[in-house]
Amino acid sequence: MDGPEEDNTTRGRVLLADLDLIFLNDPLIDELGFVHPSQLLSLHSDGAAATSKPPFVGRTPKSSSLTSGSSNPEDEPYAHADCSRKSEHGVDLIENLEDLPIDEGLVQNGVPYDRMAFWSGEHKLAISAVALAPLYKSAKEAFTFSSAEYKKLCQAEETASSAASQALEADMKHHGNGTVSPNQKKSALEDSLMSYSRALVLVNCDHATAWNMRKRLLPKRAADGDVLVAELRLAGVVLSCAPKSEETWAHRRWVICQMINNGVPRMKLDLILESESKLVEAVAERCPMNYRGWRHRGWLVTQMSFVQVAIELYRTKLWASLHVADNCCFHYRRTLLLQLLKSQVPGIVESRELAATAEEKELNMRVLKVALFDGSETRALWKEEVDWTKHLITRYLGREALWLHLRFLFYYWRLHIRRTVSPARAKEDPDGVQHECDSKHTFISMDSEQQFVSICLSACASNLTEDANKQREFAASYKLWVLMNGFQQQKQESRRLSAPPVDKRDSIRMLLNDMAPHRSKLWEGLLTGS
Amino acid sequence: MTTFQLEKHVNYVKSLDKKSDFDSVVMEHLRMSGAYWGLTALDLMHSLNDMDGEEIAAWILKCQHDCGGFGGNIGHDPHILYTLSAVQILALFDKLSVVDADKIAKYISGLQREDGSFAGDEWGEIDTRFTYTAVSCLSLLKRLDSINVEKATDFLVRCRNFDGGFGCTPGAESHAGQIFCCVGALAILGALHHVDRDLLGWWLCERQVKAGGLNGRPEKLPDVCYSWWVLSSLIIIDRAHWISKEKLRDFILNCQDQDRGGISDAPDDAVDVFHTFFGVGGLSLLEYPGLKSIDPAYALPVDVIDRVFYGQKS
Ligand SMILES: [Zn+2]
């Protein structure tokens, strides 16, 4: 009995063609959702009003009513998407729904696509969960067949001597239209492969082989930059549905590198980087602590101009203060801060392109004042970050990401910055011996930090909530951090923690075991070096 | 106390190959890694003999490309991740001789960049996972001399953060999975002196939440797979005695599907082969009775590693 099988194949082919039609009709589609058939029905009946509802913006696609209790899936570093894709498509549901008719919704007016499989409007696309399997199967078969054909054609081209193929081409031109030339066939195959690979990555975001095929074909089409811009848009569509897809993020980076290699003007690149950064922020809003997304943002910094880095630092402050548990964003600020410090190297300003307009010049100058610190500017920048972090710590109890940020600020100030931004003191100490600065110059010292810990501990002394428990633990461990980093010799290369001095050991041990007894083995190990 | 459902997990893993639901279909591109997870889990549970090594090796060879690299399945492009999985599976079955080690080594060494890092494939994405993959794979094939080991080490060191952890590239956020890759690679390269064990041990121990499970980064929920990434790293740097092993063991056991077998990321979630492997692997690192012991750097049973390097038959 291959009847139903046959039906499925035909249906898949139709769906594949419909998808082409939809993108042809609206090349600006920027969002995708997989929906329950009943959701699709309501999209068709509600029209545009439906776009503010699931599966679109303002929610994490994974928590749609389609999925069954998947809880905050982790992204896997070594092993791809296994965690994050789990139950994304709601397997049970699809099995139950397979009997539903799918080809009855075809309408003749408007764009004639299958209304039981797709909905498109407002630059958004919804695909019914029951259409995914036949669509994917057909796309895969067509992709496999066409890539094999394409490979054959390319190999034939390689083996034929270039002179011979040129002669053939000239011959074709001369004789005109009757036959299909290898070049025409090749270009038709390329068009098909672009279509099939698009369907594949829409349904299976981590189908690397499909993304790779696009990487192979795009340079042939990228003569005008719009092709690459469109490719970024497609990757955005996929990310709107699968925000953790590492293949998709990697594909974005590849596209941007292509643009840079093609000599995109600096001003345009700045705009692209800015919109990339905003994209990550929008994704982070829906999918917190998204390592692959923030990794992309961190990569952008390596391509950014110095001024843009400073602007990013300024811009992310508000977002971070509204997402105090998102360690990724605080790490991003660390990346930006360190990048600015690197830029202290003289010559960085000269190497920048001159700003075009007076307004830009003024903006640049303002940002430069913050960014291109001499000693006092660095000090001001660091102090501002420390004060702000401490403010957030006292306001939001028990947030690990905030305390970690403070650890970073203390560590870098003590070991990497303090001396370089105090040229006067460096002159006083030509042999590089470290001194505790005068308290009026020192906004972050061992004393100030131990004092801050005491304030935090007493502020929540009578608070018995879990957040307060955590606050006490983090405060106590920060004190240990200060003690173990503060007495270190300044040897950047061979950084090692050093045990706190003997006279401090008993009190900090008691504090740690009081505040975080469940980590007693860790504290003992750190304090005694065993 | 909950017990370990060995027989049910074995049956669960064996049943996976026959699945053809949609979720399995969209995972076909990483079947090579899926096979490595499932087969290694079976071996740890003393059940690898039930599988047909000849058939599996034949399939693996069909996934190899002319360049020497392996795809995640037949007809998929080669990638360094699947190349390691292929070599690992062959090592499990004592069939490393069926592949041309020099050809694979040539593929991998071709992916090393000037700065010592490794790309995952010809398209140039860089990640410390790929360094681990390269180092582990070449070591199993005894071809470490085909890459610039010094530069590879330098790159890993450049990915170290102020908190002692490592990220996917220089400056990227510390992540337990990336830490495993960097520490595992440094261990294989004999370069662990680059790690501040106390500092990194501190960060790793703070991954244990009060309930006993381990998370992969600050502010995240505990997840079974981090039992592997965190614990193996702690063992490699000799700091595993800083966490509560009993609580971790109980967390993993509570993530079993007691009826149908398999292990999930967190209690009461759906099971999958990935978390089943890392759950079993974590229990093996905890020396849970009835399981083979696993090597924390190679993520293969210790007897397999002994056979590869010392020619000892188990
Ligand atoms: Zn996991």
Side-chain angles (χ1 to χ4, degrees):
Chain A
M1 287 284 286
D2 54 21
E5 184 70 21
E6 192 70 28
D7 280 357
N8 246 336
T9 310
T10 318
R11 187 170 71 183
R13 286 198 196 120
V14 171
L15 294 176
L16 197 52
D18 281 1
L19 196 62
D20 278 346
L21 204 60
I22 291 170
F23 274 94
L24 194 67
N25 183 55
D26 184 4
L28 297 181
I29 286 176
D30 58 12
E31 221 179 313
L32 168 71
F34 300 147
V35 302
H36 188 277
S38 65
Q39 277 176 294
L40 198 71
L41 281 178
S42 70
L43 279 167
H44 281 297
S45 55
D46 297 357
T51 56
S52 56
K53 293 184 202 157
F56 301 112
V57 286
R59 54 175 281 279
T60 307
K62 277 185 227 320
S63 62
S64 105
S65 54
L66 251 186
T67 64
S68 53
S70 113
S71 72
N72 190 21
E74 290 272 340
D75 46 328
E76 302 318 331
Y78 164 56
H80 330 256
D82 212 352
C83 274
S84 58
R85 295 224 40 132
K86 184 164 55 70
S87 72
E88 196 158 292
H89 302 290
V91 196
D92 300 341
L93 182 117
I94 287 169
E95 279 166 3
N96 296 338
L97 287 173
E98 250 160 21
D99 301 332
L100 279 181
I102 193 161
D103 49 0
E104 285 169 9
L106 194 81
V107 288
Q108 298 307 319
N109 53 356
V111 186
Y113 61 79
D114 187 337
R115 257 58 177 172
M116 296 297 280
F118 302 106
W119 174 87
S120 173
E122 310 282 302
H123 306 315
K124 297 175 200 311
L125 169 66
I127 307 179
S128 166
V130 293
L132 291 173
L135 174 62
Y136 187 72
K137 189 163 175 283
S138 287
K140 198 178 93 180
E141 282 165 6
F143 179 80
T144 308
F145 179 79
S146 297
S147 356
E149 286 290 293
Y150 187 67
K151 245 170 234 163
K152 264 188 250 163
L153 215 57
C154 291
Q155 273 163 3
E157 216 172 51
E158 263 172 44
T159 47
S161 79
S162 61
S165 66
Q166 271 167 16
L168 182 72
E169 210 170 304
D171 193 49
M172 289 289 183
K173 271 184 195 149
H174 190 254
H175 292 290
N177 314 320
T179 47
V180 180
S181 77
N183 269 350
Q184 281 170 318
K185 191 181 174 196
K186 203 173 150 195
S187 125
L189 268 175
E190 286 173 0
D191 289 345
S192 306
L193 282 167
M194 288 301 281
S195 148
Y196 304 148
S197 59
R198 178 177 60 200
L200 284 178
V201 297
L202 286 176
V203 182
N204 180 2
C205 57
D206 281 325
H207 198 300
T209 306
W211 282 122
N212 292 347
M213 180 56 84
R214 301 182 72 80
K215 294 190 187 89
R216 249 171 236 125
L217 299 179
L218 279 166
K220 301 170 193 271
R221 310 167 151 248
D224 88 75
D226 289 352
V227 173
L228 291 174
V229 173
E231 191 68 4
L232 282 182
R233 192 179 306 120
L234 174 67
V237 174
V238 174
L239 289 170
S240 73
C241 187
K244 291 181 172 183
S245 165
E246 63 170 301
E247 292 297 342
T248 314
W249 287 112
H251 190 67
R252 285 196 97 81
R253 287 190 282 281
W254 180 86
V255 171
I256 294 168
C257 286
Q258 288 295 113
M259 290 172 160
I260 293 171
N261 291 341
N262 293 350
V264 61
R266 182 73 231 186
M267 291 286 262
K268 197 172 173 197
L269 180 63
D270 285 349
L271 288 176
I272 292 165
L273 294 172
E274 191 187 329
S275 76
E276 288 293 298
S277 181
K278 283 180 176 160
L279 172 84
V280 175
E281 194 162 297
V283 169
E285 191 75 51
R286 293 183 287 124
C287 175
M289 300 281 284
N290 179 349
Y291 191 78
R292 297 291 148 196
W294 285 95
R295 181 253 158 110
H296 184 69
R297 205 170 185 182
W299 177 81
L300 296 172
V301 174
T302 64
Q303 308 296 321
M304 278 178 189
S305 71
F306 173 62
V307 171
Q308 215 170 354
V309 174
I311 293 173
E312 283 287 302
L313 186 68
Y314 174 77
R315 273 197 42 222
T316 47
K317 197 165 182 172
L318 177 65
W319 198 91
S321 64
L322 294 173
H323 299 79
V324 290
D326 201 316
N327 191 52
C328 292
C329 186
F330 288 92
H331 183 81
Y332 183 60
R333 291 186 66 76
R334 295 194 274 277
T335 306
L336 295 168
L337 283 166
L338 294 180
Q339 186 74 13
L340 285 180
L341 290 181
K342 263 194 236 165
S343 314
Q344 271 188 318
V345 185
I348 192 82
V349 182
E350 285 85 334
S351 74
R352 273 186 51 248
E353 257 178 51
L354 286 173
T357 66
E359 198 185 355
E360 270 171 350
K361 221 172 231 169
E362 200 191 307
L363 174 70
N364 281 0
M365 284 316 295
R366 213 177 62 214
V367 173
L368 277 176
K369 270 188 193 152
V370 184
L372 186 72
F373 359 73
D374 49 41
S376 64
E377 288 292 351
T378 305
R379 179 179 292 267
L381 181 85
W382 219 260
K383 183 177 187 313
E384 196 184 319
E385 191 78 3
V386 169
D387 290 346
W388 172 68
T389 307
K390 286 182 176 173
H391 167 73
L392 293 174
I393 283 176
T394 47
R395 185 155 168 212
Y396 301 99
L397 297 188
R399 299 298 9 154
E400 193 175 8
L402 296 176
W403 286 98
L404 203 65
H405 199 53
L406 194 56
R407 284 186 192 179
F408 161 83
L409 293 168
F410 178 80
Y411 166 78
Y412 262 89
W413 182 256
R414 293 283 305 182
L415 276 100
H416 296 273
I417 307 170
R418 191 174 55 168
R419 273 200 320 175
T420 54
V421 299
S422 310
R425 291 200 64 84
K427 263 178 226 154
E428 285 167 30
D429 306 319
D431 51 358
V433 176
Q434 259 189 284
H435 293 269
E436 197 64 38
C437 294
D438 300 332
S439 56
K440 61 180 173 184
H441 292 303
T442 310
F443 61 92
I444 185 160
S445 66
M446 292 184 67
D447 285 344
S448 74
E449 297 318 283
Q450 293 185 69
Q451 219 172 342
F452 178 68
V453 167
S454 304
I455 292 168
C456 289
L457 287 175
S458 53
C460 65
S462 56
N463 188 334
L464 297 177
T465 61
E466 186 53 32
D467 284 343
N469 287 338
K470 282 189 177 168
Q471 179 87 336
R472 283 186 281 271
E473 174 187 338
F474 297 142
S477 59
Y478 180 62
K479 186 169 180 175
L480 182 65
W481 178 267
V482 167
L483 290 174
M484 293 188 82
N485 282 286
F487 287 112
Q488 270 189 103
Q489 288 304 305
Q490 189 163 1
K491 283 185 199 150
Q492 298 187 13
E493 293 314 310
S494 62
R495 177 187 182 200
R496 287 286 184 273
L497 285 176
S498 52
V502 185
D503 59 316
K504 305 247 180 196
R505 222 169 277 176
D506 286 341
S507 64
I508 184 75
R509 175 185 283 125
M510 202 150 48
L511 179 72
L512 287 163
N513 284 326
D514 255 10
M515 301 306 170
H518 58 290
R519 297 204 197 285
S520 57
K521 289 178 187 167
L522 166 62
W523 310 136
E524 206 47 39
L526 285 170
L527 287 169
T528 60
S530 62
Chain B
M1 199 191 80
T2 326
T3 53
F4 183 67
Q5 303 285 356
L6 189 140
E7 212 169 303
K8 283 180 180 166
H9 298 322
V10 169
N11 288 332
Y12 164 74
V13 173
K14 284 188 193 166
S15 76
L16 289 171
D17 209 33
K18 291 154 205 116
K19 273 187 137 183
S20 60
D21 59 41
F22 183 61
D23 272 11
S24 311
V25 171
V26 292
M27 290 296 179
E28 46 137 19
H29 62 280
L30 51 83
R31 187 161 183 250
M32 188 69 77
S33 294
Y36 156 71
W37 299 323
L39 293 167
T40 309
L42 287 180
D43 199 11
L44 292 172
M45 296 186 287
H46 303 278
S47 302
L48 191 65
N49 285 339
D50 303 353
M51 306 306 285
D52 186 344
E54 297 290 333
E55 194 188 336
I56 293 168
W59 170 73
I60 288 176
L61 287 176
K62 281 186 199 155
C63 298
Q64 191 173 23
H65 291 248
D66 292 340
C67 63
F70 291 78
N73 206 336
I74 298 171
H76 285 258
D77 287 354
H79 194 284
I80 199 168
L81 287 175
Y82 306 121
T83 303
L84 172 63
S85 294
V87 167
Q88 284 171 317
I89 298 169
L90 293 173
L92 282 178
F93 287 109
D94 196 12
K95 287 189 186 301
L96 280 176
S97 58
V98 306
V99 286
D100 179 350
D102 290 321
K103 195 174 168 183
I104 299 175
K106 193 165 168 251
Y107 170 71
I108 292 178
S109 60
L111 293 172
Q112 189 171 27
R113 297 292 145 118
E114 192 47 41
D115 65 355
S117 67
F118 281 84
D121 60 15
E122 61 176 302
W123 302 106
E125 178 75 354
I126 301 294
D127 195 308
T128 46
R129 286 179 302 162
F130 307 149
T131 302
Y132 169 78
T133 312
V135 166
S136 172
C137 191
L138 291 175
S139 174
L140 289 170
L141 295 170
K142 306 188 182 89
R143 294 292 187 281
L144 266 180
D145 56 356
S146 67
I147 56 165
N148 187 328
V149 164
E150 202 178 318
K151 279 189 172 181
T153 308
D154 287 349
F155 178 75
L156 290 169
V157 172
R158 287 211 293 131
C159 296
R160 194 180 52 193
N161 289 316
F162 80 98
D163 53 22
F166 295 80
C168 54
T169 52
E173 184 187 353
S174 296
H175 182 301
Q178 309 287 158
I179 290 172
F180 161 79
C181 291
C182 294
V183 171
L186 288 172
I188 293 171
L189 294 172
L192 279 175
H193 57 280
H194 289 293
V195 178
D196 182 340
R197 294 169 189 240
D198 285 352
L199 184 65
L200 175 58
W202 185 347
W203 190 92
L204 288 168
C205 286
E206 287 184 322
R207 298 306 107 234
Q208 186 164 42
V209 304
K210 253 182 199 164
L214 297 163
N215 64 21
R217 280 179 286 152
E219 302 273 13
K220 298 282 284 187
L221 295 172
D223 177 330
V224 159
C225 62
Y226 290 103
S227 310
W228 173 265
W229 312 117
V230 175
L231 186 57
S232 60
S233 306
L234 281 169
I235 289 173
I236 292 171
I237 63 167
D238 192 24
R239 292 295 180 274
H241 54 288
W242 284 6
I243 61 164
S244 167
K245 293 184 185 174
E246 300 73 27
K247 279 187 176 177
L248 176 59
R249 179 198 60 205
D250 292 347
F251 173 78
I252 300 174
L253 291 174
N254 281 327
C255 293
Q256 301 177 96
D257 184 328
Q258 295 283 349
D259 302 322
R260 286 172 292 180
I263 301 175
S264 57
D265 59 345
D268 301 321
D269 274 356
V271 302
D272 60 66
V273 66
F274 177 84
H275 289 95
T276 303
F277 166 56
F278 288 113
V280 174
L283 290 171
S284 165
L285 289 177
L286 292 166
E287 298 170 4
Y288 194 88
L291 294 176
K292 277 193 187 180
S293 58
I294 187 167
D295 185 281
Y298 288 98
L300 283 170
V302 169
D303 62 351
V304 171
I305 293 302
D306 286 346
R307 192 173 61 208
V308 168
F309 291 110
Y310 310 110
Q312 290 168 5
K313 290 276 171 188
S314 49

